[in-house]
Structures are given as structure tokens and as C-alpha cells.
Amino acid sequence: FRLNLLVSSAMGWTGTSLAAFAGPCIAFVVAIAAFSSAFEGDFVFDDTYAIVQNADANPASPWWSIWRNDFWGFALASEYSHKSYRPLTILSFRVQVYLADGRLDEQTAAAMHWVNVI
């Protein structure tokens, strides 16, 4: 307890700011624990449609298509689209696939799961 007070006062933290820092740290640890089983393995469930089969997540496709298509890669005007518009999510997938040199293997899936949990 004394060490905590000493560190808190030396760093200029008050009880309020220490609590404000502790909350996000606890949430981070809980998130990591809850999703720890997803950190190893391949693309599963909707990953296949949202990342592997979605041309917008592939850096080889035109980058502007993420602004015209839904989350699943269908044109927003299409009858197949359910109008789930999340371009920043698809952009993050696209950047991650680019950083993996376009590989969509288990290693890439694990890295993407880590990034998306964090």
C-alpha cells in the first residue's frame, strides 16, 4: 500500500487518475483472456466472407471500392447487399493483408485476430 502511494504521488497520480488508468487496463486484460483461444488458428466463421472472399480486403483491388461496397464486398446498390457499411473496418483488414504480403494463411489469421482484439 505504501509503495502504491509512493509511486502514485511520485508520478503525480491522484486516486481519480489512477482509477481512470486501471479501468482500461482491466478491460484490456479481460478482452485478451476472453479471446485468447482465437489467437491461434485459421480464418473462421464470417472471416471467410469478410476477409478471404472479399475483394475489398485484398490490396490488389481498387482501394476506392471500399467506399462503394458493403462489409461483405457487395455494391451498396446491389440487391445482394444488406447495407452493412463499414469502410474503416475493411480498410484495416486491407492494411493487415497488405502487411502480410497478401498471404491469407494461419499466421496471418492469428496476427489479424491479435490486432483486432487489441
Side-chain angles (χ1 to χ4, degrees), residues 37-54 57-59 71-72 89-90 92-116:
S37 64
F39 297 141
E40 294 181 22
D42 210 349
F43 293 104
V44 294
F45 304 118
D46 62 349
D47 295 343
T48 303
Y49 302 103
I51 300 168
V52 177
Q53 295 178 359
N54 186 347
N58 185 337
F71 180 73
W72 309 105
T89 303
I90 297 300
S92 75
F93 292 162
R94 187 181 180 100
V95 168
Q96 292 173 67
V97 171
Y98 173 79
L99 293 173
D101 294 325
R103 289 186 330 272
L104 292 171
D105 55 12
E106 276 191 36
Q107 186 177 10
T108 303
M112 290 181 81
H113 291 147
W114 268 102
V115 168
N116 293 323

Side-chain angles (χ1 to χ4, degrees), residues 3 11 16 23 28 35 37-38 48 71 77 117:
L3 180 59
M11 297 184 78
T16 304
F28 176 76
F35 291 100
S37 64
T48 303
F71 180 73
V117 167

Side-chain angles (χ1 to χ4, degrees), residues 30-84:
V30 168
I32 294 297
F35 291 100
S36 62
S37 64
F39 297 141
E40 294 181 22
D42 210 349
F43 293 104
V44 294
F45 304 118
D46 62 349
D47 295 343
T48 303
Y49 302 103
I51 300 168
V52 177
Q53 295 178 359
N54 186 347
D56 294 337
N58 185 337
S61 69
W63 65 269
W64 58 85
S65 64
I66 65 171
W67 305 108
R68 296 184 314 198
N69 296 337
D70 68 8
F71 180 73
W72 309 105
F74 294 107
L76 286 168
S78 168
E79 66 184 56
Y80 299 108
S81 172
H82 63 62
K83 314 303 185 233
S84 176

